[in-house]
DNA sequence: ATGAAAGCGCTAACAG
DNA sequence: CTGTTAGCGCTTTCAT
């Protein structure tokens, strides 16, 4: 095999195939593209020629004509978060069956990055967008905001709602999930409950649920127990945020919360590590509840109680709605535009006795 | 704001901008594209016009001309595997800085899916490809095989080697990692060691390392202790494979291995669940070693000993080499084409005494 | 400094 | 059934 180095093998075009097959480019398009009709003879010749040249159609040129790219963008905070990777996985599996590709973008909860991703994706002329927005409420006041998201392209919002945008959205009932978790702790006798989150919108709703539960049970809402720092500068998969927050919360023995509610998996892990570092015992010294279930939750000692989101449903519903919009641009998704899925409190041992009430 | 419903707002083109600005399309291209030169006046007018129309350049048309798409494909087994999601995360973060997007493809270890993904990606005219191939050795004998991968497009192989292909590759030293883990168990007195993998190439190398270690210590290589079933039909994130394998391995008390070596995170979790189900204790009843480290490993009781891959290095080296190829197509990567990174045995408590020898 | 025009590879009328 | 041809939106010579 003579190595014609440097000589980048030319990409064959439909024209080359046409010449070799002795037909017109239109005919080649017809047999390869599967539209129109061609004689058996022509079909044969074209296939043969295409094979011989190892012809690979130029999707870019096709997109140019057809005005569709068969790709959708997925913007999430961090693909390393099992919650998002599960969604990506499920979404991709249904997309690929329809010939779509998925372009993944990690914002790290940075609004600016989100905007620049949006720009990239729109330039790429994606057919659809699925997004867990990192933009904070405040950043949306901006007058330019309305221009950031193109309402002309099919979009589905997941995980978090984006106010003043009329896209369909699929998310968990963050308020209720947190309300239930908090109530659970209260019923178990906890009065001082720490909660660890961050500045993203989803977490605000969860903190509200927590707050309401406290209030409804005549307990004070003490902001000292709310750790809501920003995620900035936290490396992906970095567990230190949760550790830091926990150590902070448990610093003063007398004010120490008797329970901690961590608002995502990474934070939960951080809490567990910190509690362990401090030589404290769960649930006797401090109870723990996490947001999002994980495989090892039931194997830890004690097993960890969690608020479980129906990730599968979120992903499935979201992608089916998005495809609906893509394939039928006139679909009006006005009614029932927002679907809020309930969460499930999975009670294991990390909050004390295994009550079932 | 009158809602001109249905009337899909027209995408503005460079021509619209040109007209509004009162210049030619060439000039618009020059100021927006940042090449050539334009008068201050023209520049001003163009920018204004572009802003007013919220003009978004058509990347497809650009790609058509420039013959570059600014996107790279990433083919992995399953993005839900923390090992792959970490790689994706790191790779994406360096790519985005250079204006590239990343298209993620999950093969689920299915060779056919890999081939169809490859086709999609090549049609999309990706600028580069990073791949952890799912193709088994046997599938590569196929005469068509050589045509499956286009040597004309920059490619980097990660995690597993693909024989007879002259692409650069970055992977862990699977043989050595497994050899060390197995030796560790042997030195701790284990003689019957079960190993759980699957039919993918990486795992073969690991089993070979295990085998060599056994042999070098005058222990028999007993295929009854090797669980190497196929992954087919296992759902993403499904832990049942590991559970099934473990229960199988531990079925007959008298032949029972005293240690189990699980070849990826998901399998490790399965092993832990199964062992727990069976009411056995780690490490007394059975020792456990896992492949790939994980945050909770040190929090489990006992903490789990693992073979740790330098995921960060794999991702970083791989992407830098890929970019090198993309940006400088004439780079000859002949020497040192293959980089094999060593693994690290992280000894915790799951194999018995915390020896350090 | 700027405009006209060719052309990237393909699809889809349209005409035959 | 098949070929000719006109673009899709942009970049980029080549003139001016």
């Amino acid at each position: 095999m003579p190595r014609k180095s440097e000589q980048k093998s030319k990409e064959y075009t439909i024209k080359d195939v046409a010449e070799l097959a002795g037909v017109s480019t239109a005919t080649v398009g017809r047999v390869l593209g599967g539209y129109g009709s061609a004689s058996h003879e022509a079909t044969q010749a074209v296939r043969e020629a295409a094979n011989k040249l190892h012809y690979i159609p130029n999707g870019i040129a096709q997109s140019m004509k057809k005005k569709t790219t068969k790709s959708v963008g997925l913007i999430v905070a961090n693909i390393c978060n099992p919650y998002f990777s599960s969604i990506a996985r499920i979404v991709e599996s249904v997309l690929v069956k329809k010939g779509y590709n998925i372009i993944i973008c990690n914002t790290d909860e940075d609004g600016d990055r989100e905007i620049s991703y949006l720009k990239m994706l729109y330039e790429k002329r994606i057919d659809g967008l699925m997004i867990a927005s990192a933009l904070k409420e405040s950043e949306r006041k901006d007058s330019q905001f309305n221009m950031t998201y193109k309402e002309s392209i099919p979009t589905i919002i997941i995980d978090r709602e984006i106010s003043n945008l009329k896209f369909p959205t699929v998310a968990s009932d963050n308020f209720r999930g947190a309300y239930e978790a908090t109530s659970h702790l209260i019923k178990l006798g906890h009065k001082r409950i720490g909660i660890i989150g961050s500045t993203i919108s989803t977490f605000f709703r969860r903190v509200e649920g927590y707050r309401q539960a406290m209030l409804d049970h005549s307990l004070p809402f003490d902001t000292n127990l709310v750790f809501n720092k920003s995620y900035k500068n936290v490396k992906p998969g970095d567990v230190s945020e949760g550790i830091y927050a926990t150590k902070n919360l448990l610093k003063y023995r007398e004010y120490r919360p008797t329970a901690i509610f961590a608002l995502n998996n990474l934070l939960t892990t951080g809490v567990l590590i910190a509690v362990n570092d401090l030589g404290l015992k769960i649930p006797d010294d401090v109870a723990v509840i996490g947001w999002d279930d994980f495989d090892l939750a039931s194997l830890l000692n004690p097993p960890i109680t969690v608020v479980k989101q129906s990730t599968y449903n979120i992903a499935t519903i979201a992608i089916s709605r998005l495809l609906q919009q893509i394939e039928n641009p006139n679909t009006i998704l006005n009614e029932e535009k927002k679907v809020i899925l309930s969460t499930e409190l999975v009670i294991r041992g990390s909050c004390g006795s295994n009550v079932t009430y």
Side-chain angles (χ1 to χ4, degrees), chain A residues 153-170:
Chain A
I153 108 145
T155 297
I156 185 105
I157 294 173
I158 57 166
D159 189 53
R160 328 159 174 199
E161 308 173 36
I162 306 186
S163 46
N164 31 341
L165 237 46
K166 45 179 194 277
F167 295 125
T169 107
V170 183

Side-chain angles (χ1 to χ4, degrees), chain A residues 6-77:
Chain A
E6 309 311 316
Q7 186 192 322
K8 203 165 179 173
S9 68
K10 189 219 178 207
E11 296 279 357
Y12 291 111
T13 72
I14 203 172
K15 207 171 151 193
D16 298 312
V17 178
E19 268 170 25
L20 184 57
V23 297
S24 73
T25 61
T27 300
V28 175
R30 279 190 274 258
V31 357
L32 261 29
Y35 52 90
S37 50
S39 69
H40 184 69
E41 230 174 27
T43 306
Q44 211 64 359
V46 169
R47 286 205 201 296
E48 218 163 88
N51 263 330
K52 192 173 298 176
L53 300 180
H54 298 110
Y55 170 69
I56 297 177
N58 185 325
I60 298 296
Q62 292 176 324
S63 290
M64 185 94 174
K65 278 297 292 185
K66 303 213 242 182
K67 284 165 175 350
T68 158
T69 51
K70 285 289 182 177
S71 55
V72 331
L74 174 62
I75 299 184
V76 295

Side-chain angles (χ1 to χ4, degrees), chain A residues 69-86:
Chain A
T69 51
K70 285 289 182 177
S71 55
V72 331
L74 174 62
I75 299 184
V76 295
N78 182 351
I79 194 68
C80 287
N81 180 330
Y83 169 65
F84 287 127
S85 64
S86 300

Side-chain angles (χ1 to χ4, degrees), chain A residues 136-345:
Chain A
K136 323 261 178 301
E137 288 290 337
S138 57
E139 298 175 301
R140 299 196 192 122
K141 308 291 184 221
D142 194 306
S143 62
Q144 263 217 308
F145 173 69
N146 284 317
M147 304 320 308
T148 306
Y149 299 88
K150 285 174 64 103
E151 303 205 338
S152 56
I153 108 145
T155 297
I156 185 105
I157 294 173
I158 57 166
D159 189 53
R160 328 159 174 199
E161 308 173 36
I162 306 186
S163 46
N164 31 341
L165 237 46
K166 45 179 194 277
F167 295 125
T169 107
V170 183
S172 285
D173 193 336
N174 289 297
F175 180 88
R176 195 141 191 280
Y179 186 94
E180 283 172 4
T182 310
S183 299
H184 173 66
L185 288 167
I186 295 173
K187 285 187 192 150
L188 254 27
H190 294 280
K191 291 184 176 6
R192 290 185 59 74
I193 301 172
I195 181 165
I196 301 177
S198 146
T199 55
I200 69 181
S201 65
T202 324
F203 290 2
F204 282 140
R205 291 295 295 158
R206 294 181 196 160
V207 171
E208 279 171 39
Y210 156 88
R211 180 171 170 278
Q212 193 61 50
M214 296 297 274
L215 264 32
D216 284 356
H217 292 84
S218 314
L219 290 170
F221 173 70
D222 180 353
T223 53
N224 288 319
L225 293 176
V226 179
F227 197 93
N228 240 355
K229 288 282 169 55
S230 158
Y231 256 177
K232 288 274 160 60
N233 300 325
V234 176
K235 307 291 168 300
D238 191 344
V239 116
S240 62
E241 179 90 346
I243 297 178
Y244 177 75
T246 306
K247 292 194 173 169
N248 235 282
L249 243 24
L250 298 178
K251 197 157 45 184
Y252 304 109
R253 181 176 292 273
E254 51 271 50
Y255 301 119
R256 184 179 280 178
T258 61
I260 292 182
F261 185 11
L263 295 186
N264 76 18
N265 260 342
L266 214 52
L267 293 171
T268 306
T269 303
V271 171
L272 298 177
I273 292 175
V275 169
N276 188 59
D277 283 358
L278 294 170
L280 298 175
K281 286 285 164 246
I282 300 172
D284 299 338
D285 296 322
V286 57
V288 172
I289 246 181
W291 189 281
D292 275 335
D293 200 7
F294 53 103
D295 284 332
L296 292 172
S298 53
L299 283 171
L300 286 159
N301 187 14
I304 309 299
T305 294
V306 299
V307 176
K308 180 180 180 175
Q309 300 192 75
S310 25
T311 318
Y312 178 80
N313 288 330
I314 292 178
T316 311
I317 295 173
I319 190 57
S320 87
R321 302 224 158 183
L322 182 59
L323 280 171
Q324 201 177 334
Q325 286 181 74
I326 292 177
E327 291 170 352
N328 181 358
N330 295 324
T331 316
I332 307 297
L333 292 166
N334 272 335
E335 59 268 288
E336 211 198 329
K337 264 194 23 174
K338 198 166 287 183
V339 1
I340 301 297
L341 299 168
S342 57
T343 58
E344 181 193 349
L345 182 64

